[in-house]
Amino acid sequence: MTKTLCTLSICIFFYTALFAQASKIDSSQMRTLRIDPEAARGATVSQLFDEVKFIPLETTKESLFGSISQLELTNKYYIIYDYDTKSILIFTKDGKYKNKISSSKVEKDPNDKEDKNFYGFTLTKENNEPIIQVYTGRYFLYFNLEGKMLRKVLSKDLPYGNAFKFTDGTTIKQAYTDKKDKDSTQYEIALLKDDKELGKYFPYNKSRYKEDQFFTAGNNLTDYGVPDEFFCLTFYEYNIYKLSPKSLSLAYRVIFPASNSLPADFKTNPVYKNKRQEFFTKNPAVIYAVGNPYQIGDNLFFKTASFTWSNNKKNALVYHLKSGSMTSINHLEPDSLSSFLPVTDAGYYYDFTNKGFHKFDGGYFYTSYSSLAMFAFKEQNEKRNRKYNDVLNHYFKTSDKKSNPIIVQLKPKKG
């Protein structure tokens, strides 16, 4: 017992020493939210959204793919990564197929033995034009939207992507190393401008990923539509931080019921180290992460992640910041706004449960589900004589359950 307490004390001292080097996080405007996911209620689609649009993606022999693992937008196109085919597909905003970048068709370097499959991409810009950047281990590959490879650059010579940058030129660096610190220390987030360090947050030891287990509910940075602001998350906390060009502040501290919460010492107690998965398997109701936070007016959208698997799981929530009421997106009832079709496949299939919203562009959310699900939903409506718009009528006449997925565009209410 004495040895365990001593080890714990050393661990806490180590974390304290690390955090002493980090920039201060402002918590003066922090708001505490007490949230019980099981208390969330359902609603109709029109109670939560002002507009709904279904966008079928054209299916051809060349364009056929499994599901949307990643979605990015330009003014004219949807750019999609499909994990099943390890391909990047480009469609117009009305769903017409444009072209595909397939990892299997990229010329291989005979001297490079590393796996050349694509596992996602970054959408960046060059000469004010969108460019697709793909990381393959040794190289970064760059493609234009015509699918033509522009160049190949050794990864050691270039940072990955520039997706997170403020309008004043301040850059957000992830996995940042400060040369003045010990070589073993990195920071999850840093703010830099003109090579000057403005702030560095969430220090950690570089070896942590080799020595421990980390589970997340998505990316640690979320562009939620407010200019020059990002929501920021870190491991094994329920805090939602707000990142601006000059600082990081704690916006929301979420408190879940005890049965859903991590132990208070989960980050520091060595008994959990490298045994996180074992803990979550034995305690499937415990929420290990909050993900994809978006604030639209008075509504805070977010999801929770745990090892619980159920079609009735309430893991995608909307918290109304004024009333404290909660809505479960998984339990939205279709109505006339959605042509009496579900806007997510939650409760029937697992695309939305696994991935949530793919994107928010400042005005609209984007999600997706399979044609298998869409035709199942249509069959449920057969006896009700539902009427569909021209786009959906054409889709139902020319497609089938094996066709490409459907993108769903949703405009959230601000009230």
Side-chain angles (χ1 to χ4, degrees), residues 117-277:
N117 281 331
F118 298 167
Y119 293 99
F121 66 94
T122 293
L123 187 64
T124 183
K125 280 193 174 184
E126 189 173 281
N127 298 323
N128 211 33
E129 291 294 325
I131 299 293
I132 297 169
Q133 181 190 47
V134 181
Y135 176 67
T136 64
R138 188 179 179 188
Y139 294 102
F140 286 120
L141 308 181
Y142 290 83
F143 300 86
N144 63 20
L145 297 192
E146 301 300 320
K148 178 183 177 181
M149 190 167 85
L150 304 175
R151 63 183 180 277
K152 179 168 66 173
V153 181
L154 283 169
S155 58
K156 68 180 180 63
D157 296 333
L158 202 65
Y160 185 35
N162 63 353
F164 301 116
K165 201 167 188 176
F166 294 107
T167 55
D168 70 349
T170 300
T171 301
I172 304 171
K173 295 287 186 181
Q174 301 185 67
Y176 172 70
T177 300
D178 185 343
K179 295 178 181 178
K180 299 189 296 291
D181 285 331
K182 293 181 179 179
D183 292 339
S184 60
T185 302
Q186 281 188 316
Y187 297 83
E188 291 184 25
I189 297 290
L191 295 171
L192 301 175
K193 186 175 182 182
D194 300 327
D195 294 326
K196 181 182 178 182
E197 182 185 289
L198 303 180
K200 52 184 183 178
Y201 308 95
F202 309 128
Y204 64 92
N205 192 293
K206 284 183 181 180
S207 63
R208 73 174 180 180
Y209 295 109
K210 297 178 181 179
E211 300 170 351
D212 206 346
Q213 299 168 334
F214 295 89
F215 295 87
T216 71
N219 296 326
N220 65 334
L221 286 177
T222 301
D223 182 352
Y224 68 104
V226 175
D228 280 342
E229 285 187 3
F230 291 86
F231 276 145
C232 180
L233 306 168
T234 188
F235 293 108
Y236 304 134
E237 288 186 9
Y238 305 138
N239 295 331
I240 300 174
Y241 299 89
K242 189 178 292 185
L243 190 64
S244 72
K246 297 187 183 301
S247 65
L248 183 74
S249 60
L250 178 54
Y252 300 106
R253 176 172 170 255
V254 181
I255 298 177
F256 293 109
S259 59
N260 302 124
S261 298
L262 291 165
D265 61 349
F266 192 72
K267 291 181 72 170
T268 57
N269 195 332
V271 302
Y272 299 112
K273 189 173 182 179
N274 216 26
K275 296 181 179 179
R276 316 283 179 180
Q277 183 170 348

Side-chain angles (χ1 to χ4, degrees), residues 61-79:
K61 183 179 179 180
E62 180 70 12
S63 72
L64 182 65
F65 72 99
S67 64
I68 299 176
S69 302
Q70 180 185 349
L71 173 68
E72 300 294 341
L73 315 173
T74 72
N75 291 335
K76 297 181 180 179
Y77 302 110
Y78 296 115
I79 305 174

Side-chain angles (χ1 to χ4, degrees), residues 52 54 65 83 89 104 121 218 237 242 261 287 301 342 347 361 400-401:
V52 176
F54 294 96
F65 72 99
Y83 181 84
L89 300 102
S104 64
F121 66 94
E237 288 186 9
K242 189 178 292 185
S261 298
I287 295 168
F301 290 73
D361 66 3
D400 58 35
K401 295 180 180 181

Side-chain angles (χ1 to χ4, degrees), residues 62 100-108 118:
E62 180 70 12
K100 177 169 72 174
I101 303 167
S102 174
S103 60
S104 64
K105 294 183 179 181
V106 174
E107 184 179 350
K108 303 296 188 291
F118 298 167

